[in-house]
C-alpha cells in the first residue's frame, strides 16, 4: 500500500505494571485519490519499530474496494496478510499474483521496486493487515524479490496458529528475511488461555483484530497493539469471548531509519534523491505492466529536514 502520512502523529501510548506498552491506532487515509481508511499502530512518535517491523496498518472489515496505483518502495520488505477478500498484485519484478486470506505475499524492495494493488471484482469486503520490514544497512540495497507462502494451520491447546514468518509452536516458515523475525496469526476460541514459548532475545507486538484479549495481565482493546520488550521466554494470551490476533516479533533493530512516504532510508538527502528518481521514472524502480492507469506522483517533501526514527532506550 502507499503511505500518505509524512510523519507519525502523537497518539496514546501507555505502559502497564506488567511491562506491556499499549499502542492505540490512528485513522489514516491510504492510496492516493481513491484513498481507503486504515488504522495505523506503527510507526508512532513513542515507538517506531518492533524488531524490524516498522509499519503496521490494519483495515476492515469494510465494504470497500482497493485501487492503489503503481508506487515505489526502497529499503524494505512489504508483508501482505488478509483475513477476508482478494487483492491483485503487480510489480516491476514482473510478478502478477494474488493476496488471499491465510496466504503470505512478501515483496522485497531494497534498491527499488514499484507495485500496484487492486481488489478483485468478487471482493466486496476487505479485511487484513499491511506490514513493512526495514532492511538492515548491509542489505538495504537488496535486489527485487517476491515470495509467496500458504502456512499450515497448527493446533496449539485449542488455538489455531498460522506462522507466516519465523518459528512458533513447532511451526517454521521457509520465507527468507534479513533479520530474525516472527509473524503469525492466532485464532483463540472462547475461554482460551494460551502460553507460548518465545525467544527472550525478541521484542513482541500483539495486534488484536477481533474479540477480547489479555496479554499477561493487560487488557487490549480491538485494533490496539500490545508491546512487550526483550527478556521474556513466554507470552500468555487469554480471552473470554474469543479473539483473532497477529503476533509480531524480532530482535531489536538497532539502527535508526528515515521513513517518508513509501521510502525507507538513512538520511533526508537520500530520501530526497529517491523521490527525484521516482518522479523522473528512472530504472531504479522499473515499471508495472498491466495496470490500467497512471502511477502515483510523489507528494512534496516537508519544509524541514526529515529526522531519523528509532526507539526509546
Amino acid at each position: 500500500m502507499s503511505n500518505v502520512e509524512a510523519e507519525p502523529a502523537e497518539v496514546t501510548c501507555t505502559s502497564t505494571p506488567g511491562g506491556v506498552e499499549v499502542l492505540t491506532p490512528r485513522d489514516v487515509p491510504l492510496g492516493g485519490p481513491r484513498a481507503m481508511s486504515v488504522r495505523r499502530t506503527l510507526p508512532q512518535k513513542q515507538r517506531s519499530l518492533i524488531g524490524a517491523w516498522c509499519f503496521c496498518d490494519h483495515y476492515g472489515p469494510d465494504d470497500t474496494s482497493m485501487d492503489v496505483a503503481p508506487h515505489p518502495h526502497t529499503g524494505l520488505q512489504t508483508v501482505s496478510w488478509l483475513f477476508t477478500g482478494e487483492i491483485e498484485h503487480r510489480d516491476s519484478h514482473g510478478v502478477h499474483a494474488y493476496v488471499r486470506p491465510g496466504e503470505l505475499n512478501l515483496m522485497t524492495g531494497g534498491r527499488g521496486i514499484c507495485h500496484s494493488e487492486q481488489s478483485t471484482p468478487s471482493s466486496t469486503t476487505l479485511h487484513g493487515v499491511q506490514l513493512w520490514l526495514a532492511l538492515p544497512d548491509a542489505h538495504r540495497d537488496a535486489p527485487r524479490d517476491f515470495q509467496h507462502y500458504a502456512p499450515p494451520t497448527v493446533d496449539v491447546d485449542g488455538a489455531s496458529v498460522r506462522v507466516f514468518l519465523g518459528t512458533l509452536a513447532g511451526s517454521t516458515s521457509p520465507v527468507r528475511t534479513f533479520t530474525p523475525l516472527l509473524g503469525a496469526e492466532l485464532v483463540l476460541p472462547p475461554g482460551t488461555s494460551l502460553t507460548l514459548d518465545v525467544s527472550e532475545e525478541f521484542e513482541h507486538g500483539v495486534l488484536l483484530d477481533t474479540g477480547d484479549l489479555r496479554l499477561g495481565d493487560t487488557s487490549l482493546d480491538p485494533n490496539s497493539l500490545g508491546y512487550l520488550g526483550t527478556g521474556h521466554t513466554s507470552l500468555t494470551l487469554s480471552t473470554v469471548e474469543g479473539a483473532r490476533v497477529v503476533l509480531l516479533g524480532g530482535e531489536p533493530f538497532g539502527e535508526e531509519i528515515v521513513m517518508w512516504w513509501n521510502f525507507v532510508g538513512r538520511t533526508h538527502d537520500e530520501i530526497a534523491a529517491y523521490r527525484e528518481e521516482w518522479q523522473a521514472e528512472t530504472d531504479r524502480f522499473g515499471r508495472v505492466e498491466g495496470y490500467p492507469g497512471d502511477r502515483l506522483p510523489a507528494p512534496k517533501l516537508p519544509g524541514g529536514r526529515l529526522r531519523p526514527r528509532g526507539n526509546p532506550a
Side-chain angles (χ1 to χ4, degrees):
M1 291 185 184
S2 177
N3 174 27
V4 296
E5 185 187 45
E7 290 289 341
E10 190 81 42
V11 293
T12 304
C13 177
T14 58
S15 295
T16 68
V20 176
E21 190 177 281
V22 181
L23 291 83
T24 57
R26 61 193 182 277
D27 292 332
V28 178
L30 198 73
R34 296 175 289 275
M36 60 182 283
S37 180
V38 301
R39 300 175 294 275
R40 182 164 299 165
T41 46
L42 278 181
Q44 296 193 12
K45 286 190 176 179
Q46 298 90 336
R47 182 160 302 282
S48 294
L49 299 122
I50 297 176
W53 300 101
C54 62
F55 186 88
C56 178
D57 276 357
H58 180 210
Y59 55 93
D62 293 323
D63 293 331
T64 186
S65 61
M66 176 189 292
D67 188 353
V68 185
H71 55 279
H73 289 294
T74 60
L76 56 76
Q77 292 180 299
T78 65
V79 175
S80 300
W81 186 260
L82 277 177
F83 307 124
T84 308
E86 184 179 60
I87 297 171
E88 186 174 14
H89 164 101
R90 299 176 187 271
D91 67 38
S92 57
H93 189 47
V95 174
H96 178 206
Y98 290 88
V99 186
R100 297 187 173 100
E103 300 181 8
L104 170 74
N105 280 2
L106 183 146
M107 182 184 74
T108 301
R111 185 179 185 277
I113 198 169
C114 62
H115 72 131
S116 64
E117 296 161 292
Q118 294 175 284
S119 54
T120 60
S122 61
S123 293
T124 57
T125 301
L126 288 178
H127 187 189
V129 290
Q130 181 69 43
L131 309 160
W132 291 359
L133 291 164
L135 293 177
D137 192 63
H139 299 286
R140 65 191 184 96
D141 286 329
R144 299 169 191 162
D145 192 25
F146 184 90
Q147 299 175 74
H148 172 85
Y149 176 56
T153 300
V154 178
D155 182 275
V156 184
D157 296 334
S160 298
V161 178
R162 287 192 179 103
V163 181
F164 52 85
L165 289 179
T167 297
L168 182 71
S171 182
T172 298
S173 166
V175 175
R176 302 179 304 279
T177 59
F178 293 89
T179 55
L181 290 166
L182 171 63
E185 176 192 306
L186 292 79
V187 178
L188 283 66
T192 299
S193 181
L194 176 67
T195 297
L196 297 165
D197 293 332
V198 295
S199 170
E200 64 180 337
E201 296 178 355
F202 280 21
E203 48 189 358
H204 292 89
V206 178
L207 175 70
L208 176 58
D209 173 47
T210 57
D212 67 282
L213 189 77
R214 291 181 71 84
L215 171 56
D217 295 326
T218 301
S219 294
L220 298 181
D221 293 327
N223 309 315
S224 64
L225 188 150
Y227 166 84
L228 200 59
T230 59
H232 297 269
T233 57
S234 65
L235 299 178
T236 298
L237 307 175
S238 54
T239 179
V240 175
E241 299 178 358
R244 176 165 57 197
V245 305
V246 175
L247 173 60
L248 308 175
E251 292 183 358
F253 192 64
E255 298 179 27
E256 288 190 331
I257 61 174
V258 176
M259 281 181 64
W260 178 81
W261 194 38
N262 302 310
F263 304 131
V264 174
R266 295 300 185 274
T267 67
H268 172 96
D269 293 339
E270 193 174 66
I271 297 293
Y274 293 154
R275 182 192 180 278
E276 256 186 58
E277 288 201 62
W278 173 247
Q279 294 295 88
E281 302 189 19
T282 70
D283 291 340
R284 174 183 288 275
F285 300 103
R287 300 185 64 84
V288 173
E289 301 295 339
Y291 178 81
D294 297 328
R295 57 195 216 150
L296 282 180
K300 291 183 179 180
L301 283 164
R305 291 183 67 81
L306 298 168
R307 294 173 296 176
R309 301 179 189 177
N311 277 337

